């Protein structure tokens, strides 16, 4: 049997959502996805599935040796996550011996807000008194 996408409009909704974040000038969104598959499963991967994964989720597929060399597989996953989160997340995968297939999705969201008044509320916090025109960054 092969890995395939079902025809589902949720995939299109996800793609539109990810694309819309990139259109905001004051928003930085780093999204990275990758399907890690045990090397022996790579032959079961439907090429159309891989193309749709790339199109809808901008996701790659990587064969790793989960069965034959787990530490090398863990290192591949950890390196991917650490690089794509700019070091915010490291040592994500410590030990999962029975892993054969893993879909990893990372999202880093950063919004910069320019203050137009001396008092503002943001993200449920108490009012602040930054001078007008200052920029605040919310991780």
């Amino acid at each position: 049997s092969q890995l395939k996408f079902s025809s589902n409009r949720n995939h299109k909704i996800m793609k539109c959502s990810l694309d819309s974040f990139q259109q905001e000038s004051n928003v930085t969104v780093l999204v990275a996805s990758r399907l890690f598959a045990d090397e022996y499963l790579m032959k079961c991967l439907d090429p159309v599935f891989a193309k749709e994964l790339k199109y809808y989720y901008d996701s790659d597929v990587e064969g790793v040796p989960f069965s034959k060399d787990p530490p090398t597989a863990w290192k591949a996953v950890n390196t991917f996550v650490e690089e794509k989160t700019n070091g915010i997340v490291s040592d994500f995968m410590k030990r999962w011996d029975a892993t054969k297939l893993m879909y990893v999705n990372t999202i880093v969201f950063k919004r910069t807000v320019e203050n137009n008044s001396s008092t503002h509320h943001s993200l449920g916090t108490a009012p602040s008194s930054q001078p007008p025109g200052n920029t605040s960054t919310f991780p």
Side-chain angles (χ1 to χ4, degrees), residues 47-107:
V48 173
F49 174 80
K51 286 180 183 175
E52 289 177 341
L53 199 59
K54 183 69 174 171
Y55 176 77
Y56 289 116
Y57 299 97
D58 196 23
S59 182
D60 298 320
V61 179
E62 182 177 342
V64 293
F66 283 126
S67 297
K68 293 181 179 176
D69 187 5
T72 298
W74 304 332
K75 183 174 168 97
V77 173
N78 284 332
T79 299
F80 170 78
V81 171
E82 189 167 357
E83 286 175 359
K84 297 302 180 177
T85 63
N86 293 332
I88 293 170
V89 178
S90 62
D91 213 18
F92 167 74
M93 187 175 178
K94 295 192 188 268
R95 185 178 175 102
W96 289 312
D97 289 334
T99 304
K100 303 294 180 222
L101 190 67
M102 176 184 286
Y103 186 76
V104 176
N105 182 262
T106 66
I107 301 174

Side-chain angles (χ1 to χ4, degrees), residues 10-20 55-57:
N10 291 336
H11 302 300
K12 292 178 184 175
I13 292 170
M14 182 64 176
K15 179 169 178 34
C16 289
S17 297
L18 293 174
D19 291 346
S20 71
Y55 176 77
Y56 289 116
Y57 299 97

